[in-house]
Structure formats: C-alpha cells, structure tokens
Amino acid sequence: MKLASVAIAAVFHTAVCAVVKLDSDGTPEPEFEDLTVVGQTGAKIHTTFGDGVRGDFKIPLYLKDGLDPESKRQRRAERSRKMKSFTEQPLSNNTAILTNVKDYYYYGYIGVGNPPQKFSVVFDTGSSNVWVPGEACVSDACNEHRQFKNAGSTTFQSSPQKIQIQYGTGFIAGDVGTDTVQVSKSLVLRNQSFAMTGQEDKTFELPRSQFDGLFGLGFTGGAEGNIRSPVDSMVQENVLKSPLFGIKLRRDSLSGNGEITFGSYDTSYTNNLEWIGVYGNIFWATTMEGILYGDEPQNYLYGADKVSAASGVLAVEEKARASRKALLDTGSSLIYGDPFSLAAMSTRIGANPLTGEIPCPVLASLKSFHFVLGGKRFTMQPEEYIFHDPATGICEVQWMPVSDYLWIMGLPFLQTYYTVYDIKDHRIGLARMRQ
C-alpha cells in the first residue's frame, strides 16, 4: 500500500536546478550546481499567524516506506550501479538531476568541497539547511552512503558549532563546516555553511533513503543555527540570472523524473502562471482559504467559516485554526492537513476516513477537489488525488492528517502543477502541468 507506515511528523522536501538528461544506457546523467544547509539545536520553528496568534511547527519531512521486498532489492542494486558510475561523470554546466523514487521523493546531486565530493540529496522547499554524512559518523545510515572527507577538500573550514535537527520522520546531529557547494559549474556558492552528520537515525538507512543528504531551499528564517540559506546566498552573491527557480516533478506512472531550473524557468508556462504571495520568511508557505468539491458550495476546510464570523470573540485557538497556512513542499510524499477537514473530504467521496482506502470502481464518478491558496483556486482531478495500485487493486486517497494549522501540499499537488519560486519578491507561480 502506498500509504504504509507513514510517520506523522515534519515535512521534508525537494527543489533543485535540474534538467533531466539520459546517458546512453538510459541512466539519468547528473548535472550540478550549489546549495547548503545547517541547523542549530532544535528544529521547532516558532511563528506568528495572521491576527498575532503564535504557533509552533517542526521542520517538514514526511517520508513514506511503501516499497515491497523485491522492489527494495532492485532499488538497492540500481543505486549501487549508479553510485559506481557516478564518480566518473563530470559536473555539467547548468543542470542537476532529480530522480523519482516511486513518487516517494526525488533526489539529485551536488558537489561539496574542492575538488567536489559528490552527494545525492533531496532538494527540499520545506526546509532551509544542507547536510551530508560526515566521515566520523558511525550510524548505519552514514556507513551505507557517501561520507564527506574534510581533508579531501582544500577549501574546507571547520567551526565549533554543533547542530541537531529533528524532522517529522527523522533525526540528524553533527558538526557545522563551511566550503564550496556546487549544483552545476555555473552555479557555485562559496563559503556555504553545511552540516556533516555524526548521527542519523534509521529513517535515512537503505533501502528506504537512497539519498545521502538534504538540501534545503527555504529562506534563512527557516534555517537552524542562524545560518544563511542557500537560496538567500544565491541572491546575495548574485549568481542567478534572475532570483527565482522553477520546478517540474513528473509522476512515476508517466515514467517521469524531475527538473529544477535555477535563475530561470520554463517560459512555455508563462501565460498560465497564477501568482500567489508567500506568507512570512521561513518556507514557501501561503494562506489557505478553502477546499471545495466539484461545484458544491460547502467549504471542507475546517474553521474557514469562522474567518468572517465575529473574529473578535473567537478563542485564540480558533483564530489560528481559521487562519490556515499551506506549505508547498517538494520533500513530502503526500498532502498533509488537519484531521477534521481530511475526514470530511474522505467521507464525501466514500473513502474510509481511517485507512484512506476507497473502492476503485467509484473513481469514474468522482469530481475534482479545488484548493483555495493565496485567494486563488487550484484543482486536482480524481486521478491526481487518488492513488491506484494496479498490482494490488487498491485505491486510496493521497492525504493524511498531521496538523491543525499548517497544511503540507506535497508531491501529489506539486506533480499536478509546475511551480516557480520567486526568491526576491516572495511569491510562487503555479500552472497546471502538461502531460
């Protein structure tokens, strides 16, 4: 089942400048540029909602573990082959790879140090730190992946700073250092701080996590350790043609991988982009005003009816619940939201509110759900919010309950919409993805 053993916690995600190319044997050809992350103790973010309501949420990171034993064996063998050939492949001019792993997550490659040491990372719009396994790390997860060797870089600078980051489905701790971080030859960040892990929990072990580390694409306000985030570094160091990046994530069923372009975006989507404002300076979040089904008038977003109703007498908790925010997160496998709204949505379409399963024959009669983000409506069709596993004949919704206040618009949503992230003007452009 696609939703099997999903931990309820923080969101993790993805974003990188990558145009996927294939080499002669069909393997995606890595291409690079730069990025970074670091964190200081504690990954809980304190923020203030609209009306001065204060709330807490942890750094987003939701990883699913839904691979069957045979798929795990094949993925392990495939990754071993790619790791062996990868060290012989040069950094390309303008691109980095995003490989789709069963719609669970996407990973690409970066180079850290001089000469660059290659690492596979999840490019995550839901966090702001960069980390890779450190050579002193003794956790099984580190031993199964590439480890950064300080002495192997002529530009590495150590620091006494320590870091701990508690994700929703994982934990890392380690040391902070500074070095050159590359995502491509034309996009290089000098003196970028990043974390070298000394400890990683089982979340990051093979075969579940085929990536080595994490590359956050959020703002500095969401970074642990008071460290400047990679995207803010890109703008400050003036290494981008334009202060933005575009992300295209294709579904596994379409044999698609990912594509992230730094400094520009796919201009064929220009006339279709709907721009919405970014809320705050932490991650790529916006306001969420409603969830509608088909042409029905009912708003399934719990608490939305209280926004315009006597807000002055609402309890603090109700004000926060009525001032919902939504994070566009390339690192989350599903859509995550409050249990009240999701239960109502599941019930409306005939899905089991507890398991998410729904009889496959009813799919043909379902209508679209419309998510109102930043005051604009974005539609998901039944085949986009329902996962159908032909092998098992099981159908289930692509959402799970997590938080009362913060919604996570993960892969099912981002595979539906091409997204452009404007770093300077703090806005996001969305256009329905073309098949």
Side-chain angles (χ1 to χ4, degrees):
M1 290 176 60
K2 193 170 189 229
L3 302 185
S5 67
V6 179
I8 303 301
V11 178
F12 173 124
H13 239 78
T14 317
V16 96
C17 161
V19 174
V20 176
K21 296 182 179 179
L22 301 180
D23 60 20
S24 58
D25 69 353
T27 302
E29 173 187 311
E31 315 181 15
F32 298 67
E33 266 317 76
D34 101 317
L35 289 194
T36 322
V37 313
V38 184
Q40 186 59 329
T41 56
K44 179 172 286 190
I45 303 297
H46 303 284
T47 187
T48 301
F49 294 95
D51 306 331
V53 177
R54 188 175 175 81
D56 298 332
F57 61 93
K58 293 183 179 179
I59 291 179
L61 173 48
Y62 289 103
L63 295 180
K64 296 185 298 182
D65 183 11
L67 296 180
D68 57 86
E70 177 59 20
S71 294
K72 290 180 178 179
R73 185 192 67 76
Q74 293 177 359
R75 293 281 177 172
R76 189 190 292 266
E78 177 185 3
R79 185 179 190 282
S80 177
R81 179 178 64 82
K82 288 181 179 180
M83 288 180 67
K84 184 178 297 184
S85 64
F86 179 75
T87 57
E88 302 173 357
Q89 298 176 349
L91 298 177
S92 65
N93 288 329
N94 299 307
T95 60
I97 301 171
L98 291 183
T99 298
N100 183 355
V101 180
K102 294 286 187 180
D103 290 340
Y104 298 150
Y105 54 81
Y106 294 74
Y107 67 85
Y109 293 91
I110 62 172
V112 181
N114 186 20
Q117 300 175 37
K118 285 83 170 182
F119 295 92
S120 58
V121 294
V122 169
F123 291 92
D124 183 19
T125 55
S127 67
S128 303
N129 290 80
V130 177
W131 59 264
V132 295
E135 63 179 333
C137 182
V138 296
S139 300
D140 289 342
C142 295
N143 295 330
E144 294 173 347
H145 294 88
R146 304 176 185 85
Q147 294 172 275
F148 181 74
K149 297 176 174 55
N150 304 2
S153 173
T154 60
T155 51
F156 174 76
Q157 301 175 50
S158 62
S159 83
Q161 185 176 0
K162 304 292 183 181
I163 177 177
Q164 294 183 19
I165 303 180
Q166 177 64 62
Y167 295 102
T169 52
F171 169 84
I172 66 99
D175 301 313
V176 174
T178 300
D179 211 329
T180 298
V181 179
Q182 266 189 305
V183 180
S184 78
K185 285 185 177 179
S186 63
L187 178 56
V188 180
L189 292 182
R190 310 293 179 183
N191 301 316
Q192 181 64 49
S193 296
F194 67 100
M196 301 157 288
T197 62
Q199 180 184 354
E200 298 179 21
D201 69 11
K202 293 182 179 296
T203 298
F204 302 108
E205 293 180 6
L206 288 173
R208 182 184 192 182
S209 298
Q210 298 180 35
F211 53 88
D212 301 316
L214 184 65
F215 189 103
L217 291 173
F219 300 104
T220 298
E224 289 296 302
N226 297 317
I227 295 169
R228 190 171 65 192
S229 71
V231 295
D232 284 336
S233 292
M234 292 176 194
V235 173
Q236 184 162 331
E237 296 179 22
N238 196 30
V239 296
L240 300 177
K241 180 179 180 181
S242 298
L244 49 76
F245 55 94
I247 300 179
K248 184 184 298 179
L249 304 176
R250 296 203 176 278
R251 287 182 170 82
D252 189 65
S253 60
L254 300 176
S255 300
N257 287 311
E259 172 182 316
I260 305 181
T261 305
F262 281 115
S264 62
Y265 65 92
D266 186 343
T267 55
S268 67
Y269 286 96
T270 299
N271 294 334
N272 302 111
L273 287 172
E274 292 281 358
W275 292 95
I276 57 178
V278 170
Y279 180 87
N281 62 349
I282 300 177
F283 303 130
W284 294 99
T286 188
T287 56
M288 186 173 192
E289 292 84 13
I291 303 171
L292 308 174
Y293 180 68
D295 56 0
E296 299 175 3
Q298 180 178 347
N299 190 339
Y300 286 88
L301 181 62
Y302 180 71
D305 58 320
K306 296 181 172 60
V307 174
S308 60
S311 59
V313 297
L314 288 179
V316 171
E317 184 176 350
E318 288 299 319
K319 283 185 181 180
R321 185 173 287 119
S323 302
R324 212 61 60 82
K325 304 299 179 295
L327 168 67
L328 275 62
D329 184 18
T330 55
S332 291
S333 305
L334 299 172
I335 293 173
Y336 300 87
D338 75 85
F340 307 104
S341 301
L342 295 179
M345 293 166 61
S346 294
T347 300
R348 176 61 187 85
I349 63 175
N352 187 313
L354 298 179
T355 66
E357 292 189 14
I358 183 172
C360 294
V362 309
L363 264 60
S365 62
L366 295 180
K367 301 177 183 178
S368 298
F369 270 108
H370 312 287
F371 295 87
V372 185
L373 305 173
K376 298 183 179 180
R377 180 182 298 199
F378 299 96
T379 298
M380 292 188 71
Q381 300 170 355
E383 63 271 21
E384 295 164 344
Y385 65 78
I386 298 291
F387 171 75
H388 178 205
D389 186 349
T392 62
I394 292 177
C395 291
E396 52 197 359
V397 298
Q398 299 212 75
W399 55 66
M400 288 193 70
V402 160
S403 167
D404 277 358
Y405 311 118
L406 181 67
W407 276 67
I408 308 300
M409 308 304 290
L411 292 189
F413 183 79
L414 295 174
Q415 289 170 332
T416 304
Y417 287 90
Y418 179 71
T419 49
V420 179
Y421 302 80
D422 189 326
I423 305 169
K424 184 177 180 180
D425 292 334
H426 281 216
R427 60 176 186 162
I428 307 170
L430 298 92
R432 174 163 281 278
M433 191 90 73
R434 291 189 295 270
Q435 300 302 325

